[in-house]
Amino acid sequence: MPDISASLDTPRLILRQWHADDYEPFAALNADPKVMEYFPGILDRSESDDMAEIIKADIKRRGWGLWAVEEKDSTAFIGFVGLHEPRVDLSFTPCVEIGWRLAYKFWGKGYATEAAQRALAFGFETLDLLEIVSFTTTGNLRSQRVMKKLGLHNTHQNFQHPSVPEASSLREHVLYTINQQEWKQTQCKTRY
């Protein structure tokens, strides 16, 4: 198991285990309608804290997960980025997905891409994963742009997410993937 006390660094960010003082800013971003636009709803403080506890426990148990992301210059918690095993039954599970959720004031700085590049490197180099997936609702073009920047490709195998209500316009999701060989090829072009 990877060392859970270790953190992952990028030029501007630290991906690390969660701290108690991350919960308040995490709750604020989970209550922000802009951040949660492509989710079924915002989270209240209790729901947000429960989510953080689950994420923290996953990292403790496995040594990896959806790491808390800290901006190096300010030491501010800006959200999470990392790897996750979906808990819902999907046509392509079991799998490892890469995901992110950042506070709105940190959007547009390339942080999601920078941190996700580091998480992909960890997944393929340290965990020796053969493939990593990512998915989002069809309308979330911002996240799809990040997926493309990371070298993931659209499988054109859209699916109905079982955790989203049937009548919701957010139910249809796109599935992006990248395998280890494809990722290695992208390293000639980009590096965190």
Side-chain angles (χ1 to χ4, degrees):
M1 180 173 81
D3 179 5
I4 61 170
S5 64
S7 61
L8 306 177
D9 285 67
T10 75
R12 300 179 294 167
L13 305 168
I14 300 170
L15 286 70
R16 58 164 173 75
Q17 176 60 294
W18 291 63
H19 302 153
D21 58 358
D22 297 330
Y23 287 35
E24 186 175 337
F26 187 54
L29 76 87
N30 283 325
D32 184 339
K34 288 187 219 93
V35 173
M36 301 301 284
E37 177 181 5
Y38 295 107
F39 292 90
I42 61 172
L43 302 180
D44 65 26
R45 178 63 191 258
S46 176
E47 293 167 325
S48 180
D49 287 355
D50 289 347
M51 182 179 184
E53 284 292 322
I54 290 167
I55 293 170
K56 184 177 180 179
D58 282 348
I59 295 171
K60 184 176 181 181
R61 179 175 49 83
R62 289 189 306 236
W64 56 272
L66 296 170
W67 293 285
V69 179
E70 180 180 310
E71 188 180 46
K72 283 183 177 177
D73 286 346
S74 68
T75 71
F77 168 88
I78 69 168
F80 69 69
V81 176
L83 305 171
H84 176 69
E85 294 174 316
R87 290 182 167 84
V88 295
D89 186 23
L90 303 167
S91 63
F92 48 88
T93 56
C95 66
V96 173
E97 74 167 305
I98 187 163
W100 47 85
R101 186 179 305 170
L102 302 182
Y104 181 71
K105 71 179 187 175
F106 297 102
W107 290 10
K109 299 176 184 235
Y111 285 167
T113 303
E114 182 176 324
Q117 285 172 335
R118 184 63 184 96
L120 281 176
F122 180 88
F124 288 127
E125 293 175 348
T126 304
L127 300 180
D128 197 28
L129 297 173
L130 298 179
E131 180 182 61
I132 296 175
V133 307
S134 192
F135 50 88
T136 188
T137 186
T138 55
N140 190 347
L141 301 180
R142 286 187 302 269
S143 279
Q144 290 181 55
R145 278 194 295 275
V146 173
M147 293 172 196
K148 290 174 187 173
K149 286 179 187 177
L150 295 170
L152 282 80
H153 59 89
N154 189 338
T155 65
H156 301 287
Q157 296 174 14
N158 290 10
F159 64 97
Q160 304 300 309
H161 199 294
S163 299
V164 180
E166 285 188 27
S168 173
S169 62
L170 303 175
R171 188 169 169 89
E172 185 177 358
H173 277 54
V174 293
L175 172 65
Y176 281 72
T177 65
I178 187 169
N179 65 40
Q180 192 180 87
Q181 188 61 39
E182 291 166 336
W183 176 79
K184 286 178 181 176
Q185 291 170 355
T186 67
Q187 298 316 288
C188 299
K189 301 173 189 169
T190 62
R191 192 65 179 165
Y192 53 86

